[in-house]
Amino acid sequence: MSLRNGNVHSVTCNGGDVNKPFKIFVGYDPREDLAYEVCRRSILKRSSIPVEIIPIIQSDLRKSGLYWRERGKFESTEFSFSRFLTPYLANYEGWAMFVDCDFLYLTDIKQLRDLIDEKYAIMCVQHDYAPKESTKMDGAVQTVYPRKNWSSMVLYNCGHPKNQVLTPEVVNTQTGAFLHRFQWLEDDEIGSIPFVWNFLEGHNKVVENDSTTFPKAIHYTRGGPWFEAWKNCEFADLWLNEMEEYMKEAKKKIEE
């Protein structure tokens, strides 16, 4: 299992089975360390259930012999492919979530967990997304492909027989199309989640007086305010407020 600084970040919250926290694997990239910390905090702050947050760190996976794939020129983050190790890292047991680090959660994660339907192998927001920008983040190439952003936040039924195929060997050797388009599954094995749980900044829109369009988790997929080029993106204020709270807490811990 890949751990950041040798630690599993966990919290015991009110409600649920304290012995079985909901496992959340977050994609980690060194150049987005602050984004990871803010994403983590946004989940923990609002969660009413026990959660265990585990960063997927490529360097740790390489040291463990679980990841040896060479980085391709179109991989914008270090977790472009390692994300698909989620069922393996969860020991193919129960449900676990993978999410990119450029998310900001605004709602209790319990509401998302409660959407789980055992009949599916995975569940995700099924976006129809074709970005217009040629670059994103800090100049990374913006690519367009079918089912883009479906894999950015996924609920995995880790014990589902079909997900047993996601071994380190397969994750390290299969094509981007096979993995990001979930080609090991049939379409009816992929459950749908409301778009507000993967609300794409710059793409999805809030409809006034329609609460079903209000984001529950904002995805700064083009780049968030931790990048200079995106410091004025939509919902930047929400992320910056969360960051300031995180920084205050981190400073307080150091002083203690």
Side-chain angles (χ1 to χ4, degrees), residues 168-218:
E169 179 69 26
V170 166
V171 172
N172 280 281
T173 58
Q174 266 292 354
T175 64
F178 177 85
L179 294 167
H180 284 281
R181 300 180 200 174
F182 309 126
Q183 290 181 348
W184 70 93
L185 299 172
E186 300 297 327
D187 288 352
D188 61 5
E189 294 170 325
I190 304 173
S192 181
I193 294 172
F195 79 94
V196 291
W197 285 105
N198 188 344
F199 190 103
L200 302 180
E201 180 277 330
H203 174 70
N204 292 128
K205 301 298 180 185
V206 174
V207 177
E208 190 174 358
N209 298 322
D210 183 356
S211 61
T212 64
T213 67
F214 297 172
K216 294 180 181 291
I218 299 170

Side-chain angles (χ1 to χ4, degrees), residues 1 21-25 50-54 89-91 93 95-98:
M1 183 173 292
F22 182 45
K23 290 186 176 182
I24 301 174
F25 293 85
V51 296
E52 183 179 1
I53 298 181
I54 307 164
L89 295 173
N91 298 314
E93 295 176 353
W95 284 80
M97 184 175 91
F98 170 84

